[in-house]
Amino acid sequence: MCSSDLVSLFPFLYGTKNFFLTGRLGTHVARSSVGAGALLANTYSVIHLPLAIAMSLNFSRQLFLILLAALFLHEVMRRGRLIAIVVGFVGVLVIMKPGSELFDPSSIVAVLGAFFAADVAILVKSLSGTERNTTVLFYYGFITTLVCTPLGLY
């Protein structure tokens, strides 16, 4: 899956000079690694949880995104948004059922995948100010292919 992302990018890179030049390689590596983690965690949760639960927990990424945007992008979080986040996380706990015999530890992986996906969005936002789209896409495809291919062969 990851290598197909990289291969599909080549037509867009044709004729683009220096698409691989960047001054923020560390951020690209972090974004790609966290993105690969989100991909793997979400795939794991879809395999090990009922689809409705896996996808419902995956949607909690919006809750994490609001929190991360307030912390790292200094976006304003008003009381109504904070209340919505609290209610949203209560809903996540209801879905996960911690402390009951119905609790599935795979749900923790699903929530972790949602957190990683939100983190990717924050990292892409920070990269978008200085990097070209082709550079961001190239490094994501390249690094994710390096991370995921050995796991796919296993």
Side-chain angles (χ1 to χ4, degrees), residues 43-114:
T43 301
Y44 179 89
S45 66
V46 166
I47 291 169
H48 294 284
L49 292 170
L51 185 59
I53 291 174
M55 295 312 299
S56 295
L57 293 174
N58 187 5
F59 288 138
S60 68
R61 73 179 173 273
Q62 312 306 43
L63 304 173
F64 290 115
L65 185 59
I66 294 169
L67 290 175
L68 291 172
L71 288 172
F72 296 108
L73 302 177
H74 308 292
E75 292 191 10
V76 177
M77 187 181 333
R78 292 190 168 72
R79 184 174 46 179
R81 193 173 285 183
L82 186 59
I83 291 170
I85 290 171
V86 169
V87 170
F89 279 122
V90 168
V92 168
L93 290 174
V94 168
I95 293 169
M96 291 177 68
K97 300 176 186 78
S100 78
E101 59 192 42
L102 299 174
F103 173 72
D104 188 342
S106 297
S107 62
I108 294 172
V109 176
V111 173
L112 189 62

Side-chain angles (χ1 to χ4, degrees), residues 30-45:
R31 184 255 194 221
S32 301
S33 300
V34 172
L39 177 70
L40 295 171
N42 289 330
T43 301
Y44 179 89
S45 66

